[in-house]
Amino acid sequence: MLTIKTIGQVLKEKRTSLGLDLSEAEQLTQVQKLYIVALETDDYKALPGDFYIKAYLKQYAEKLGLNADRIIQAYDEGKGITVEDKEDILENYHFVKPSERVEPEEEVPKTWRHYVPIISLSAAALLIVVGVFAAVIMNKPETPDLITNDYSYSKSEVSTSKSSTSSTKPSESSTKASSSTPEPTIAISGSSSAMIATISNISDPIKVDFSVAAGRTIWVGMTNSNVPTTGQTLSDGANSLSALVTTGAENSVITLGSVEGLTITVNGKALDLSSLTTTGPNKITLQINRTTSNSAAQ
């Protein structure tokens, strides 16, 4: 019997017929689970844009063994797909012979003898702990008496020397403390498709630069910045983008269609993107700890 089904219904039925759950499908197709759910429910608004919709449809259909060109054509025309729906009455039926039936075992009530080994082991462990504690207390060495006249005399000389040295260099230490400014540091955590970059010892303005290698097309979105809410696509025509983090913002979330061929720097310091291994969309959260001035610290 021929029926017309949506693209999502065709994808989902093929996945379930292969016995794949969403996690297994994600590993097979390298498409994130949330985008698999969007494709199977025909919720294309949940994906970044038309370019990525077609790319994910093609990648997902090919991995499931479907005709990717037919899927893309149905999407472009906004139509369903005509398929032959075969109903197998015996598909979910399984007869169990009486000889193959497994009767549940009756639970035998536990007596006090069942707990004897556990009690014995617990008592032995307690005795070992008590014995070790007693041995440590009994063998503890006595504290030597180091208070002698010679020691007191030398200690007083050292104290006098230290006090005189410290009194001659107060201005030098204060000058070094006021003139040295800690360099910004970036700590990376997370993996796969989500990464957290904690940036310390940095002050406004904070500039984030994006650069894409030739032949690559990557969509970039960024919160708490001057990047448009709809994001921006970088390609050969415009392969770089400079964004400013909103003054005073404590974090900014960067969403990327891909990281292959992409370079990101924060105030000239490069972000290590090697932990992002997913080919699909990736997310980087910038946690910002700004520099505290000397006057505010005092």
Side-chain angles (χ1 to χ4, degrees):
M1 180 176 62
L2 297 179
T3 58
I4 299 177
K5 297 184 179 181
T6 66
I7 296 174
Q9 289 174 331
V10 173
L11 293 174
K12 184 174 182 180
E13 289 180 2
K14 183 61 176 179
R15 174 178 62 80
T16 55
S17 69
L18 294 175
L20 300 175
D21 59 21
L22 291 174
S23 298
E24 292 170 336
E26 182 180 38
Q27 294 178 359
L28 173 65
T29 64
Q30 293 298 308
V31 177
Q32 280 189 299
K33 190 186 300 182
L34 61 94
Y35 293 123
I36 291 178
V37 174
L39 293 176
E40 291 184 351
T41 56
D42 301 294
D43 183 13
Y44 301 119
K45 293 182 179 179
L47 284 89
D50 189 67
F51 173 80
Y52 292 100
I53 293 173
K54 292 183 179 180
Y56 291 149
L57 282 174
K58 179 177 177 63
Q59 184 174 349
Y60 192 33
E62 288 178 347
K63 292 294 184 179
L64 294 180
L66 294 171
N67 189 330
D69 294 334
R70 187 180 176 191
I71 296 290
I72 297 298
Q73 181 181 358
Y75 170 75
D76 288 334
E77 295 176 355
K79 298 179 180 179
I81 301 175
T82 302
V83 297
E84 184 176 356
D85 193 3
K86 297 180 180 180
E87 183 178 358
D88 188 358
I89 299 176
L90 299 177
E91 181 179 358
N92 298 320
Y93 180 79
H94 177 65
F95 177 76
V96 180
K97 298 179 181 179
S99 59
E100 297 177 352
R101 296 176 184 172
V102 179
E103 298 294 337
E105 297 181 359
E106 295 184 359
E107 184 177 357
V108 179
K110 297 178 181 179
T111 63
W112 64 272
R113 291 185 179 86
H114 176 78
Y115 300 98
V116 170
I118 299 176
I119 297 174
S120 301
L121 291 174
S122 300
L126 180 61
L127 288 175
I128 292 173
V129 172
V130 172
V132 172
F133 181 76
V136 172
I137 295 298
M138 294 178 65
N139 294 306
K140 184 178 180 181
E142 296 182 358
T143 303
D145 187 5
L146 299 177
I147 304 177
T148 60
N149 292 333
D150 293 339
Y151 175 78
S152 300
Y153 175 74
S154 61
K155 183 177 181 181
S156 63
E157 286 185 343
V158 172
S159 300
T160 304
S161 174
K162 286 184 177 180
S163 61
S164 62
T165 303
S166 61
S167 62
T168 58
K169 297 183 179 181
S171 59
E172 182 181 350
S173 61
S174 61
T175 303
K176 290 182 178 179
S178 60
S179 62
S180 61
T181 301
E183 290 289 330
T185 59
I186 302 177
I188 302 297
S189 62
S191 61
S192 185
S193 62
M195 185 180 85
I196 298 176
T198 303
I199 308 172
S200 303
N201 303 323
I202 196 168
S203 57
D204 291 317
I206 300 173
K207 182 182 179 184
V208 182
D209 291 313
F210 302 84
S211 178
V212 175
R216 301 294 304 172
T217 300
I218 298 178
W219 179 86
V220 177
M222 184 173 179
T223 64
N224 291 335
S225 70
N226 59 345
V227 176
T229 56
T230 56
Q232 184 170 333
T233 300
L234 304 182
S235 60
D236 288 340
N239 63 349
S240 63
L241 170 65
S242 293
L244 290 176
V245 177
T246 303
T247 302
E250 297 180 354
N251 60 70
S252 178
V253 178
I254 301 173
T255 304
L256 304 169
S258 175
V259 295
E260 187 175 354
L262 178 66
T263 302
I264 302 177
T265 61
V266 180
N267 281 10
K269 281 190 169 291
L271 284 183
D272 183 4
L273 306 179
S274 60
S275 61
L276 297 175
T277 58
T278 303
T279 57
N282 297 271
K283 183 174 73 173
I284 302 174
T285 301
L286 302 181
Q287 295 289 355
I288 302 170
N289 298 325
R290 288 176 172 76
T291 304
T292 303
S293 64
N294 292 335
S295 60
Q298 294 175 354

